[in-house]
Amino acid sequence: MHPGRPEANRQFWRGKRVLVAGGTGFLGSHVTRKLAAAGAGVTIASRSGQGALPRPLDVRSLRGDLRDPAFASECTRGQDVVFHCASKIAGLAYNARHPAEMMTYNTVLDLQVLDAAARNAVPLCFYPSGALVYDETAAVPFTEAASTGGEPLAACQGAAWAKRAVEAAIRCYLAEYDMRVVVARLSNVYGPGDDFRPET
């Protein structure tokens, strides 16, 4: 990739087979549109199918639950790159009331996609972690060196522990499999297509 060189980036993606897990969600739908415009052969995997995208795109659509190992394997097979944008997202109130659900759902989902990508020899994966991994007491604005070894934000502890667990798992997969994983710790992502309902 060449920052600041859009044409070089378009060349990189042209003809690449790319899976966008959660390709109809907030983050995934933006990634899907950009990749399709850059000439990638995009497959999206989601529970809702392509109908949830704002407008029809020339992408392959697989509908199912990525927590299912067989479906995760089907989706990642033959891909050059996996963008894992699928996730259970909810507002602070929901997170505070359902920490076990948020941790279990997201950890299982993320590990199934990561494991399927590794076993199917996908050479490059992108994993959007989050600033939730940092300790509740970490100074704001966060730096990458901030601690992730203490207690996370109490209101989002389930989602935070899920992200921490998967970041640890990624290190294990990198030690065992010939793959690259890019981890980005996103913070307060918002924009067109976002969901501002208090519960979700």
Side-chain angles (χ1 to χ4, degrees):
M1 295 295 289
H2 304 275
R5 294 174 56 192
E7 181 53 39
N9 289 339
R10 281 192 291 273
Q11 290 294 332
F12 175 85
W13 292 110
R14 191 162 294 138
K16 286 280 195 304
R17 297 163 299 177
V18 183
L19 171 71
V20 183
T24 60
F26 167 53
L27 185 61
S29 62
H30 288 279
V31 172
T32 296
R33 287 194 296 273
K34 289 289 188 183
L35 288 169
V42 181
T43 297
I44 60 170
S46 73
R47 290 173 297 160
S48 59
Q50 189 176 348
L53 285 171
R55 61 184 177 84
L57 294 171
D58 183 19
V59 299
R60 176 176 171 236
S61 180
L62 299 173
R63 187 173 187 171
D65 189 338
L66 285 161
R67 292 174 297 171
D68 173 12
F71 183 64
S73 182
E74 175 191 356
C75 294
T76 56
R77 193 175 299 118
Q79 302 295 337
D80 297 312
V81 184
V82 168
F83 281 85
H84 179 37
C85 300
S87 183
K88 181 174 181 64
I89 301 294
L92 283 174
Y94 191 95
N95 270 276
R97 289 196 306 270
H98 304 282
E101 176 190 347
M102 296 300 290
M103 180 175 183
T104 303
Y105 189 104
N106 285 303
T107 303
V108 171
L109 170 67
D110 293 350
L111 291 179
Q112 289 295 1
V113 173
L114 180 62
D115 188 68
R119 292 177 186 279
N120 282 323
V122 177
L124 177 61
C125 297
F126 173 78
Y127 178 68
S129 185
L132 288 173
V133 299
Y134 297 115
D135 295 354
E136 186 170 23
T137 56
V140 177
F142 301 118
T143 66
E144 282 194 39
S147 173
T148 61
E151 289 297 318
L153 182 67
C156 294
Q157 64 176 319
W161 282 109
K163 293 294 187 187
R164 286 181 176 186
V166 175
E167 285 195 17
I170 286 170
R171 291 193 289 273
C172 295
Y173 276 88
L174 294 179
E176 186 172 341
Y177 291 89
D178 184 21
M179 64 190 303
R180 293 172 55 214
V181 181
V182 176
V183 176
R185 291 178 175 166
L186 308 179
S187 180
N188 297 326
V189 179
Y190 69 96
D194 203 352
D195 174 6
F196 292 102
R197 291 175 293 176
E199 276 295 296
T200 56

